[in-house]
Amino acid sequence: MARQKKTVITCAITGGIHTPTMSDALPYTPDDLATQAIAASEAGAAILHCHARKAENGYISIDPQDFSTYLPRIKQATDAVINISTGGSVLNTIDERIAPALAHSPEMCSMNMGSMNFSFHPLAKRYDEFKFDWEKEYIKNSDGYIFRNTFADIENAATQLAPHKIKFEHECYDVGHLYNLKFCMDIGLFKAPIFIQFIFGILGGIGTDVDNLIFMKRTADRLFGDDYRWSVLGAGNAQMALGTTATQMGGNVRVGLEDSLFISRGKLAESNAQQVAKIRRIIEDLGCEVATPDEAREMLDLKGGDQVGF
Protein backbone atom coordinates (compact mmCIF):
# COMPACT_ATOMS: atom_id res chain seq x y z
CA MET A 1 0.00 0.00 0.00
CA ALA A 2 1.35 3.43 -0.94
CA ARG A 3 2.47 5.72 1.84
CA GLN A 4 -0.29 8.16 2.74
CA LYS A 5 0.38 11.87 2.71
CA LYS A 6 -1.02 12.72 6.15
CA THR A 7 -1.21 11.00 9.53
CA VAL A 8 -4.43 10.67 11.51
CA ILE A 9 -4.08 11.02 15.29
CA THR A 10 -6.73 9.30 17.39
CA CYS A 11 -6.98 10.18 21.08
CA ALA A 12 -8.63 7.72 23.48
CA ILE A 13 -9.77 9.98 26.31
CA THR A 14 -10.53 7.44 29.02
CA GLY A 15 -11.26 3.70 28.96
CA GLY A 16 -11.96 0.51 30.85
CA ILE A 17 -8.57 -0.36 32.33
CA HIS A 18 -7.20 2.59 34.29
CA THR A 19 -8.94 3.75 37.44
CA PRO A 20 -9.02 7.13 39.22
CA THR A 21 -6.38 6.13 41.78
CA MET A 22 -3.80 5.59 39.04
CA SER A 23 -3.75 9.19 37.85
CA ASP A 24 -5.42 12.43 38.87
CA ALA A 25 -5.45 13.37 35.18
CA LEU A 26 -7.75 10.48 34.17
CA PRO A 27 -11.11 12.10 33.35
CA TYR A 28 -14.40 10.60 34.48
CA THR A 29 -16.84 13.45 35.17
CA PRO A 30 -18.75 14.90 32.19
CA ASP A 31 -16.96 18.23 32.61
CA ASP A 32 -13.52 16.62 32.62
CA LEU A 33 -14.34 14.30 29.71
CA ALA A 34 -15.60 17.15 27.57
CA THR A 35 -12.80 19.53 28.54
CA GLN A 36 -10.03 17.01 27.86
CA ALA A 37 -11.59 15.82 24.61
CA ILE A 38 -11.88 19.37 23.30
CA ALA A 39 -8.29 20.13 24.30
CA ALA A 40 -7.08 16.94 22.59
CA SER A 41 -8.85 17.99 19.40
CA GLU A 42 -7.28 21.44 19.57
CA ALA A 43 -3.87 19.79 20.03
CA GLY A 44 -4.27 17.84 16.79
CA ALA A 45 -6.42 14.75 17.32
CA ALA A 46 -8.73 14.23 14.34
CA ILE A 47 -10.57 11.33 16.01
CA LEU A 48 -11.73 11.16 19.64
CA HIS A 49 -12.30 7.63 20.92
CA CYS A 50 -14.88 7.87 23.71
CA HIS A 51 -15.90 5.81 26.71
CA ALA A 52 -18.08 6.91 29.62
CA ARG A 53 -17.72 6.77 33.38
CA LYS A 54 -19.95 7.25 36.37
CA ALA A 55 -19.50 10.82 37.53
CA GLU A 56 -19.74 9.99 41.23
CA ASN A 57 -16.93 7.41 41.42
CA GLY A 58 -15.31 6.90 38.01
CA TYR A 59 -16.73 3.41 37.49
CA ILE A 60 -16.90 2.20 33.88
CA SER A 61 -20.26 2.90 32.26
CA ILE A 62 -21.95 1.69 29.07
CA ASP A 63 -25.16 3.58 29.81
CA PRO A 64 -26.02 5.71 26.73
CA GLN A 65 -27.21 8.47 29.06
CA ASP A 66 -23.70 8.84 30.49
CA PHE A 67 -22.40 9.48 26.97
CA SER A 68 -25.10 12.07 26.36
CA THR A 69 -23.79 14.18 29.26
CA TYR A 70 -20.66 15.15 27.32
CA LEU A 71 -20.77 14.16 23.61
CA PRO A 72 -22.91 17.16 22.53
CA ARG A 73 -20.43 19.52 24.18
CA ILE A 74 -17.58 18.05 22.13
CA LYS A 75 -19.58 18.33 18.92
CA GLN A 76 -20.44 21.96 19.64
CA ALA A 77 -16.83 22.91 20.35
CA THR A 78 -14.89 20.87 17.76
CA ASP A 79 -15.06 19.33 14.30
CA ALA A 80 -13.47 16.11 15.54
CA VAL A 81 -14.70 12.67 14.49
CA ILE A 82 -16.38 10.95 17.45
CA ASN A 83 -15.63 7.24 17.83
CA ILE A 84 -17.72 5.46 20.50
CA SER A 85 -16.40 2.29 22.11
CA THR A 86 -18.38 -0.93 21.80
CA GLY A 87 -15.83 -2.66 24.04
CA GLY A 88 -16.75 -0.62 27.07
CA SER A 89 -16.80 -3.30 29.69
CA VAL A 90 -15.55 -6.88 29.41
CA LEU A 91 -18.25 -7.84 31.93
CA ASN A 92 -21.22 -7.11 29.66
CA THR A 93 -22.92 -8.68 26.64
CA ILE A 94 -22.48 -7.39 23.12
CA ASP A 95 -26.05 -6.04 23.09
CA GLU A 96 -25.29 -4.01 26.21
CA ARG A 97 -21.95 -2.82 24.82
CA ILE A 98 -23.32 -1.52 21.52
CA ALA A 99 -26.18 0.39 23.17
CA PRO A 100 -24.28 3.73 23.24
CA ALA A 101 -23.46 3.51 19.53
CA LEU A 102 -27.06 2.60 18.68
CA ALA A 103 -28.35 5.52 20.72
CA HIS A 104 -25.94 8.16 19.40
CA SER A 105 -25.13 6.98 15.84
CA PRO A 106 -21.52 8.28 15.72
CA GLU A 107 -19.35 8.46 12.62
CA MET A 108 -17.18 5.66 14.01
CA CYS A 109 -17.18 3.02 16.71
CA SER A 110 -14.79 0.28 17.75
CA MET A 111 -15.33 -3.34 16.73
CA ASN A 112 -13.26 -5.93 18.60
CA MET A 113 -12.32 -8.77 16.28
CA GLY A 114 -11.90 -11.74 18.58
CA SER A 115 -12.38 -13.22 22.04
CA MET A 116 -9.37 -13.18 24.34
CA ASN A 117 -8.04 -13.17 27.87
CA PHE A 118 -7.93 -9.49 28.83
CA SER A 119 -6.13 -8.78 32.06
CA PHE A 120 -4.51 -5.93 33.95
CA HIS A 121 -4.45 -7.57 37.40
CA PRO A 122 -0.72 -6.86 38.06
CA LEU A 123 -1.67 -3.19 38.48
CA ALA A 124 -3.47 -3.99 41.74
CA LYS A 125 -0.14 -4.54 43.50
CA ARG A 126 1.14 -1.06 42.69
CA TYR A 127 -1.23 0.80 45.01
CA ASP A 128 -1.65 0.55 48.77
CA GLU A 129 -4.86 2.56 48.88
CA PHE A 130 -7.60 3.34 46.38
CA LYS A 131 -9.84 6.38 46.00
CA PHE A 132 -13.00 4.31 45.48
CA ASP A 133 -14.13 0.96 46.86
CA TRP A 134 -14.71 -0.71 43.49
CA GLU A 135 -11.23 -0.21 42.08
CA LYS A 136 -9.11 -2.86 43.78
CA GLU A 137 -11.41 -5.83 43.19
CA TYR A 138 -12.13 -4.74 39.62
CA ILE A 139 -8.42 -4.67 38.82
CA LYS A 140 -7.45 -7.77 40.81
CA ASN A 141 -10.25 -9.89 39.35
CA SER A 142 -9.28 -9.10 35.78
CA ASP A 143 -7.11 -12.24 35.75
CA GLY A 144 -10.41 -14.07 35.29
CA TYR A 145 -11.86 -11.78 32.59
CA ILE A 146 -12.59 -13.10 29.12
CA PHE A 147 -13.28 -10.39 26.55
CA ARG A 148 -16.00 -12.10 24.54
CA ASN A 149 -16.21 -11.26 20.85
CA THR A 150 -17.44 -14.38 19.06
CA PHE A 151 -18.32 -14.49 15.38
CA ALA A 152 -21.97 -14.39 16.46
CA ASP A 153 -21.29 -11.30 18.58
CA ILE A 154 -19.48 -9.55 15.74
CA GLU A 155 -22.26 -10.32 13.25
CA ASN A 156 -24.89 -9.22 15.76
CA ALA A 157 -23.15 -5.88 16.34
CA ALA A 158 -22.43 -5.28 12.65
CA THR A 159 -26.02 -6.07 11.66
CA GLN A 160 -27.62 -3.83 14.29
CA LEU A 161 -25.26 -0.93 13.55
CA ALA A 162 -25.40 -1.23 9.74
CA PRO A 163 -28.36 1.18 9.30
CA HIS A 164 -26.33 3.89 11.05
CA LYS A 165 -23.58 3.85 8.37
CA ILE A 166 -20.90 3.75 11.05
CA LYS A 167 -17.27 3.11 10.09
CA PHE A 168 -15.64 0.60 12.42
CA GLU A 169 -12.28 0.85 14.08
CA HIS A 170 -11.47 -2.87 13.87
CA GLU A 171 -9.43 -3.55 17.00
CA CYS A 172 -7.02 -6.43 16.41
CA TYR A 173 -5.09 -7.59 19.47
CA ASP A 174 -3.35 -10.47 17.72
CA VAL A 175 -2.74 -11.81 14.23
CA GLY A 176 -5.67 -14.23 14.38
CA HIS A 177 -8.01 -11.26 14.67
CA LEU A 178 -6.92 -10.16 11.19
CA TYR A 179 -8.04 -13.50 9.81
CA ASN A 180 -11.33 -13.13 11.68
CA LEU A 181 -11.77 -9.74 10.00
CA LYS A 182 -10.98 -11.18 6.57
CA PHE A 183 -13.63 -13.87 7.07
CA CYS A 184 -16.17 -11.23 8.10
CA MET A 185 -15.37 -9.20 5.00
CA ASP A 186 -15.71 -12.28 2.81
CA ILE A 187 -19.25 -12.89 4.09
CA GLY A 188 -20.18 -9.25 3.54
CA LEU A 189 -20.27 -7.83 7.07
CA PHE A 190 -17.79 -5.01 6.38
CA LYS A 191 -16.94 -3.01 3.27
CA ALA A 192 -13.68 -1.41 2.15
CA PRO A 193 -11.94 0.76 3.02
CA ILE A 194 -11.74 -0.78 6.47
CA PHE A 195 -9.82 0.84 9.32
CA ILE A 196 -7.69 -1.48 11.46
CA GLN A 197 -6.27 -0.59 14.86
CA PHE A 198 -3.27 -2.84 15.58
CA ILE A 199 -3.14 -3.18 19.38
CA PHE A 200 0.03 -4.20 21.17
CA GLY A 201 0.83 -4.72 24.84
CA ILE A 202 -2.45 -5.85 26.41
CA LEU A 203 -1.94 -8.87 28.68
CA GLY A 204 -3.68 -11.58 26.66
CA GLY A 205 -2.75 -10.11 23.27
CA ILE A 206 0.35 -9.72 21.12
CA GLY A 207 3.42 -8.04 22.62
CA THR A 208 5.01 -4.69 21.82
CA ASP A 209 8.03 -5.86 19.80
CA VAL A 210 8.57 -3.99 16.55
CA ASP A 211 8.82 -7.39 14.84
CA ASN A 212 5.19 -7.96 15.80
CA LEU A 213 4.16 -4.67 14.20
CA ILE A 214 5.93 -5.63 10.98
CA PHE A 215 4.32 -9.08 11.08
CA MET A 216 0.83 -7.66 11.64
CA LYS A 217 1.33 -5.14 8.83
CA ARG A 218 2.59 -7.77 6.38
CA THR A 219 -0.33 -10.03 7.23
CA ALA A 220 -2.83 -7.21 6.71
CA ASP A 221 -1.20 -6.31 3.38
CA ARG A 222 -1.59 -9.91 2.24
CA LEU A 223 -5.19 -10.21 3.41
CA PHE A 224 -6.57 -6.78 2.48
CA GLY A 225 -4.27 -5.27 -0.15
CA ASP A 226 -5.25 -1.65 -0.77
CA ASP A 227 -8.63 -2.05 0.93
CA TYR A 228 -7.55 -0.92 4.40
CA ARG A 229 -6.14 1.94 6.42
CA TRP A 230 -4.34 1.27 9.67
CA SER A 231 -3.24 2.70 12.98
CA VAL A 232 -1.19 1.56 15.96
CA LEU A 233 -2.03 1.52 19.64
CA GLY A 234 0.94 0.72 21.86
CA ALA A 235 -0.20 0.16 25.44
CA GLY A 236 1.76 1.55 28.38
CA ASN A 237 5.35 2.58 27.78
CA ALA A 238 5.19 1.41 24.14
CA GLN A 239 2.73 4.17 23.23
CA MET A 240 5.05 6.76 21.74
CA ALA A 241 7.72 4.40 20.39
CA LEU A 242 5.37 2.12 18.46
CA GLY A 243 3.21 5.03 17.38
CA THR A 244 6.25 6.81 15.97
CA THR A 245 7.33 3.66 14.13
CA ALA A 246 3.86 3.31 12.64
CA THR A 247 3.89 6.85 11.27
CA GLN A 248 7.20 6.17 9.51
CA MET A 249 5.69 3.02 7.95
CA GLY A 250 2.81 4.98 6.47
CA GLY A 251 0.29 4.32 9.23
CA ASN A 252 -1.67 6.34 11.74
CA VAL A 253 -1.43 6.51 15.51
CA ARG A 254 -3.57 6.40 18.63
CA VAL A 255 -2.60 7.96 21.96
CA GLY A 256 -4.58 8.90 25.07
CA LEU A 257 -4.99 8.14 28.75
CA GLU A 258 -7.02 5.02 27.97
CA ASP A 259 -3.85 3.42 26.60
CA SER A 260 -1.10 4.96 28.74
CA LEU A 261 -1.11 7.26 31.74
CA PHE A 262 2.43 8.51 31.07
CA ILE A 263 4.06 11.20 28.96
CA SER A 264 7.57 9.79 29.38
CA ARG A 265 9.19 7.02 31.39
CA GLY A 266 8.09 7.36 35.03
CA LYS A 267 6.28 10.67 34.49
CA LEU A 268 2.49 10.82 34.48
CA ALA A 269 0.84 12.78 31.69
CA GLU A 270 -0.97 15.94 32.73
CA SER A 271 -3.72 15.45 30.15
CA ASN A 272 -4.73 13.74 26.94
CA ALA A 273 -3.81 16.89 25.04
CA GLN A 274 -0.23 16.64 26.29
CA GLN A 275 0.12 13.21 24.69
CA VAL A 276 -1.46 14.43 21.44
CA ALA A 277 0.86 17.42 21.34
CA LYS A 278 3.90 15.18 21.86
CA ILE A 279 3.06 12.71 19.09
CA ARG A 280 2.14 15.58 16.77
CA ARG A 281 5.50 17.21 17.39
CA ILE A 282 7.27 13.93 16.64
CA ILE A 283 5.26 13.37 13.46
CA GLU A 284 5.97 16.85 12.16
CA ASP A 285 9.63 16.81 13.19
CA LEU A 286 10.03 13.63 11.13
CA GLY A 287 8.63 15.33 8.06
CA CYS A 288 5.01 14.15 8.07
CA GLU A 289 1.80 16.16 8.26
CA VAL A 290 -1.10 15.66 10.65
CA ALA A 291 -4.56 15.16 9.15
CA THR A 292 -7.48 17.42 10.01
CA PRO A 293 -10.84 15.88 10.94
CA ASP A 294 -12.20 16.49 7.44
CA GLU A 295 -9.12 14.90 5.89
CA ALA A 296 -9.60 11.90 8.17
CA ARG A 297 -13.24 11.71 7.03
CA GLU A 298 -12.13 11.59 3.42
CA MET A 299 -9.41 9.01 4.06
CA LEU A 300 -11.76 6.70 5.98
CA ASP A 301 -14.92 7.35 3.93
CA LEU A 302 -16.99 8.54 6.89
CA LYS A 303 -20.62 9.65 6.75
CA GLY A 304 -19.96 13.12 8.15
CA GLY A 305 -20.49 14.93 11.43
CA ASP A 306 -23.88 16.22 10.33
CA GLN A 307 -25.31 12.69 10.41
CA VAL A 308 -24.64 11.76 14.04
CA GLY A 309 -27.34 11.46 16.69
CA PHE A 310 -26.05 13.86 19.34
Side-chain angles (χ1 to χ4, degrees):
M1 187 168 63
R3 183 182 179 89
Q4 64 187 28
K5 294 182 179 179
K6 296 198 175 183
T7 302
V8 176
I9 299 174
T10 296
C11 185
I13 306 301
T14 192
I17 295 178
H18 299 128
T19 68
T21 293
M22 298 177 188
S23 171
D24 290 337
L26 184 72
Y28 58 87
T29 68
D31 282 348
D32 285 345
L33 288 165
T35 298
Q36 287 216 35
I38 293 166
S41 173
E42 292 171 345
I47 301 173
L48 301 173
H49 179 75
C50 297
H51 290 242
R53 299 271 185 148
K54 292 297 181 184
E56 63 272 18
N57 63 4
Y59 189 69
I60 293 85
S61 172
I62 52 172
D63 184 344
Q65 182 59 38
D66 288 326
F67 285 83
S68 68
T69 61
Y70 77 98
L71 290 183
R73 292 175 56 183
I74 300 173
K75 181 171 169 43
Q76 290 168 7
T78 79
D79 190 34
V81 175
I82 301 298
N83 175 334
I84 292 180
S85 172
T86 66
S89 170
V90 299
L91 303 175
N92 293 88
T93 67
I94 190 65
D95 285 316
E96 292 168 333
R97 285 159 38 198
I98 66 173
L102 284 172
H104 298 294
S105 191
E107 292 183 79
M108 298 184 71
C109 69
S110 60
M111 177 70 73
N112 301 279
M113 294 311 302
S115 300
M116 58 184 290
N117 293 333
F118 193 109
S119 187
F120 38 93
H121 65 278
L123 295 175
K125 298 179 181 178
R126 297 186 184 180
Y127 306 93
D128 296 326
E129 296 181 357
F130 290 86
K131 292 181 180 179
F132 299 108
D133 292 341
W134 65 270
E135 294 181 68
K136 184 175 183 179
E137 290 305 307
Y138 173 76
I139 300 166
K140 187 172 69 173
N141 291 341
S142 68
D143 62 355
Y145 295 163
I146 296 175
F147 192 16
R148 174 182 160 139
N149 298 285
T150 65
F151 285 113
D153 291 335
I154 293 168
E155 183 170 5
N156 178 11
T159 301
Q160 290 195 61
L161 292 168
H164 294 266
K165 299 179 181 179
I166 294 170
K167 176 68 67 172
F168 297 108
E169 172 200 14
H170 295 282
E171 297 193 340
C172 294
Y173 294 79
D174 215 329
V175 68
H177 294 180
L178 295 174
Y179 287 90
N180 293 351
L181 176 53
K182 180 62 166 63
F183 170 79
C184 291
M185 287 191 73
D186 288 345
I187 64 173
L189 286 183
F190 309 116
K191 296 180 180 179
I194 54 172
F195 182 57
I196 302 175
Q197 190 74 251
F198 298 142
I199 299 177
F200 303 91
I202 297 297
L203 184 56
I206 199 167
T208 58
D209 307 272
V210 172
D211 282 349
N212 288 336
L213 168 54
I214 295 170
F215 179 50
M216 291 280 278
K217 175 67 167 55
R218 284 178 177 168
T219 303
D221 285 346
R222 186 172 64 254
L223 293 176
F224 308 111
D226 290 334
D227 288 339
Y228 83 105
R229 306 292 178 265
W230 63 286
S231 176
V232 162
L233 182 175
N237 61 16
Q239 183 185 69
M240 294 295 167
L242 273 185
T244 300
T245 302
T247 67
Q248 294 303 291
M249 293 171 61
N252 305 288
V253 61
R254 175 170 139 175
V255 296
L257 296 179
E258 173 177 352
D259 306 329
S260 174
L261 295 174
F262 294 84
I263 192 64
S264 59
R265 184 171 295 276
K267 183 178 180 182
L268 290 170
E270 297 173 1
S271 67
N272 281 280
Q274 187 185 29
Q275 290 185 347
V276 174
K278 179 174 180 175
I279 196 64
R280 179 175 188 168
R281 183 172 65 252
I282 292 170
I283 290 167
E284 292 177 339
D285 283 350
L286 292 174
C288 298
E289 293 183 73
V290 171
T292 67
D294 281 342
E295 288 169 337
R297 289 183 173 97
E298 183 177 357
M299 291 164 61
L300 302 178
D301 192 27
L302 305 186
K303 66 181 181 181
D306 59 338
Q307 298 184 50
V308 300
F310 52 91

